[in-house]
Amino acid sequence: MTTFDEAAAFVTGMGAATEWRFLEGFRVWLASRSDLGANIAWQVLVIRIAYPGESNDFWVAASHGESGEAITVLFDEFNSYLKDWGARNAE
C-alpha cells in the first residue's frame, strides 16, 4: 500500500468481509479520542489526527492522500482501538 486511499480501502474491505464487525465502533472511538466530532467519517478523522494543524477536512484529505505518515497513523490508531476493544471485552 502506497497511499492512504489504498490503506483505507484495505481496512474498509476487512470491515465488509466481517459484516462490519471489524470496524464496529472505530469511528466513534476515533471521534472520542480526537474531540473532532462523531459525525465525521473515520478516514477523515485519521487524516485530521495525522495533521492536527489543518482545518478543512476535504482539502486536508486531498493534499495528504499520498502520505505515508497518514498510513502509519491509521494503523497505529487501529491497533490502539483493537487493544482497547480487547481489554473491554476480556472483562
Side-chain angles (χ1 to χ4, degrees), residues 2-9 42-44 46-47 61 64-67 70-71 74:
T2 59
T3 68
F4 179 76
D5 289 342
E6 290 172 351
W42 68 262
Q43 297 90 334
V44 176
V46 169
I47 293 289
H64 294 297
E66 301 289 323
S67 173
I71 295 169
L74 168 60

Side-chain angles (χ1 to χ4, degrees), residues 2 7 15 19 21-22 25-26 32 36 41 44-45 50 64 67-68 73 76:
T2 59
E19 297 178 356
R21 289 186 304 267
F22 188 68
F26 185 49
S32 69
L36 292 172
V44 176
L45 287 168
H64 294 297
S67 173
V73 168
D76 286 350

Side-chain angles (χ1 to χ4, degrees), residues 15-55:
T18 62
E19 297 178 356
W20 305 109
R21 289 186 304 267
F22 188 68
L23 290 175
E24 188 175 316
F26 185 49
R27 181 184 54 80
V28 173
W29 183 85
L30 283 171
S32 69
R33 283 177 47 103
S34 65
D35 293 326
L36 292 172
N39 62 336
I40 300 173
W42 68 262
Q43 297 90 334
V44 176
L45 287 168
V46 169
I47 293 289
R48 292 287 304 277
I49 291 167
Y51 304 99
E54 301 188 37
S55 61

